[in-house]
Amino acid sequence: SFDPVQGVVLSAYADYWQGEPATPTINMPIFKDIAVAAQALVAEELDWVNDLTPDARAVVEGEEAVKQITYNDFGFFGMFYQMHESLPLPDGSSFQGFFFDKALRKAVQVCIDKPTLVETATVGNGVPVESDIPPASWAFNPDVVAPERDVDEGLRLIAEDATVHTWTLGADGIYVNEAGERLSSIVYVRAGQQDRIDFMNLLATQVADCGIEIIVQPQDFQTILIPSLDYPHIAPGQPEPWHAYFGGFSLAVDPDPFSLFHGSQCTSPDLVSSFNYECFQNEEADALIEAGLRTSDQAERTEIYHQYQEIVFEEQPILFAWSNINADAVDVNMQYSDGPLEEGTPNWGWMLHKLVIAEEGG
């Protein structure tokens, strides 16, 4: 049963093909605040709380009757660059984002101390990533790691390697191109997501040392951000598309970058909505993505996806930020009916029919 106020009640199906569930009834009440739910867990009013926030973790920390289960999430957060070669504007002219130039994307990459930014913004609940295949995946490439911060290299990349514009440092320390445009970009972030906002504010402070101005602008997800992800990527009330957008993706356990990075999925007048709204197009990456879908041997797929991650790292269509280190909290006596929980994985509780709260000493 379901009630929008009370929540969900699951009743065991006696004829379940794997045997009658060990627990006859599971109640799932609705809590709008995770920290409040954590307090209910400590008070033994709940047995299980998902996706602990930092505040909720503090509530259960050190409680002998509560066990935390941590695991790397299958997902990532990052700053998506606008890489369309040209986007139409309402007045008939065209727009090209500053970060269409790979040298500028690479400059951002080397201008930040990513591990420190992630540690600070997520309060230790994130792990830095460099692609859409996170550390939790069997296909993760451990050799692709964030470069150390190098401000001089960032300045050099913009001044010497940029191919679209010629940039010179302005009096305020921000680069200016031959048309008098400052290397300044508003970056949309989902309002209310403090870890994302904190990360971008810290990033903005660091990239300013490399002559790049980032203006962090939290926006409503439904009314502003979602519409801006459709072609031609102009948010309601704005005169032009975004140069960059900070967001996140939840991913499947098995890697499949097709919708996110295959060139055929770049948004266009004929494909208004797509997950490749940054418009990453790379023929070598496309070939590897297609090969990964055709290949069943896991060792071969691992090599394919390792090569794919190296290309993404080099091209930087997204300034990848972090993958969450998630934590759930459960009654210390929760287990499977035939043994202990399989901890360390987001799927630790997948055998719902076997979950029980064992009697102490049992």
Side-chain angles (χ1 to χ4, degrees):
S1 64
F2 167 72
D3 182 275
V5 176
Q6 300 300 320
V8 175
V9 177
L10 302 180
S11 297
Y13 177 55
D15 294 328
Y16 180 53
W17 70 278
Q18 287 191 321
E20 183 175 359
T23 296
T25 304
I26 296 178
N27 295 295
M28 297 182 174
I30 294 173
F31 282 80
K32 295 183 179 180
D33 188 312
I34 300 297
V36 174
Q39 291 168 359
L41 176 63
V42 171
E44 299 184 359
E45 297 168 2
L46 291 177
D47 300 309
W48 177 359
V49 177
N50 280 335
D51 300 328
L52 299 182
T53 59
D55 287 346
R57 292 191 194 199
V59 170
V60 302
E61 195 69 40
E63 293 289 338
E64 294 183 359
V66 176
K67 175 167 56 178
Q68 288 194 54
I69 299 175
T70 60
Y71 51 88
N72 287 334
D73 185 36
F74 284 95
F76 71 88
F77 297 95
M79 183 168 65
F80 294 68
Y81 294 115
Q82 187 58 262
M83 295 174 60
H84 284 80
E85 186 170 5
S86 178
L87 288 170
L89 294 176
D91 64 4
S93 60
S94 62
F95 169 91
Q96 184 183 84
F98 293 143
F99 298 107
F100 177 77
D101 194 325
K102 184 172 78 170
L104 272 61
R105 304 194 301 272
K106 299 285 284 185
V108 174
Q109 181 189 28
V110 301
C111 278
I112 65 170
D113 176 3
K114 184 185 292 185
T116 299
L117 266 57
V118 170
E119 173 72 20
T120 303
T122 68
V123 197
N125 296 320
V127 56
V129 293
E130 289 298 327
S131 84
D132 56 306
I133 298 180
S137 173
W138 54 264
F140 172 70
N141 187 342
D143 296 328
V144 177
V145 296
E148 293 186 3
R149 189 174 190 233
D150 189 340
V151 172
D152 289 339
E153 175 63 7
L155 291 165
R156 189 201 66 78
L157 282 163
I158 299 171
E160 299 180 14
D161 288 4
T163 58
V164 178
H165 295 287
T166 300
W167 298 96
T168 55
L169 275 176
D172 61 353
I174 302 301
Y175 275 105
V176 180
N177 67 17
E178 71 283 353
E181 298 172 312
R182 298 173 73 249
L183 184 46
S184 177
S185 170
I186 292 174
V187 178
Y188 294 148
V189 186
R190 184 171 179 174
Q193 302 295 317
Q194 198 58 49
D195 52 357
R196 308 183 198 185
I197 295 169
D198 289 346
F199 178 88
M200 284 305 303
N201 282 327
L202 292 167
L203 178 145
T205 298
Q206 292 197 345
V207 300
D209 294 338
C210 292
I212 303 170
E213 182 178 60
I214 295 293
I215 302 168
V216 181
Q217 194 171 101
Q219 292 285 1
D220 181 73
F221 185 63
Q222 293 292 337
T223 61
I224 302 297
L225 298 186
I226 289 182
S228 79
L229 300 182
D230 286 348
Y231 187 89
H233 307 294
I234 301 175
Q238 297 300 311
E240 64 181 26
W242 42 265
H243 289 273
Y245 156 77
F246 190 92
F249 267 90
S250 294
L251 305 168
V253 174
D254 195 68
D256 181 6
F258 185 89
S259 63
L260 186 63
F261 279 137
H262 195 277
S264 67
Q265 300 304 293
C266 167
T267 54
S268 68
D270 297 325
L271 186 63
V272 173
S273 295
S274 162
F275 290 137
N276 189 2
Y277 39 74
E278 73 278 7
C279 195
F280 177 62
Q281 294 180 301
N282 182 287
E283 291 183 358
E284 188 177 358
D286 286 353
L288 289 167
I289 291 170
E290 293 164 12
L293 292 174
R294 291 193 304 266
T295 305
S296 58
D297 182 84
Q298 186 161 318
E300 292 181 23
R301 291 185 75 208
T302 298
E303 178 58 29
I304 288 168
Y305 288 129
H306 279 197
Q307 293 179 38
Y308 156 78
Q309 289 167 81
E310 291 168 1
I311 293 172
V312 171
F313 178 81
E314 171 60 27
E315 295 299 319
Q316 287 293 296
I318 298 173
L319 187 282
F320 289 94
W322 76 87
S323 179
N324 277 337
I325 301 173
N326 286 347
D328 300 340
V330 300
D331 184 299
V332 72
N333 295 310
M334 181 179 285
Q335 63 180 55
Y336 285 134
S337 56
D338 58 357
L341 301 175
E342 299 176 7
E343 299 181 32
T345 166
N347 300 319
W348 64 266
W350 71 278
M351 290 189 292
L352 203 60
H353 65 291
K354 292 185 178 183
L355 285 179
V356 296
I357 304 296
E359 295 183 7
E360 291 189 23

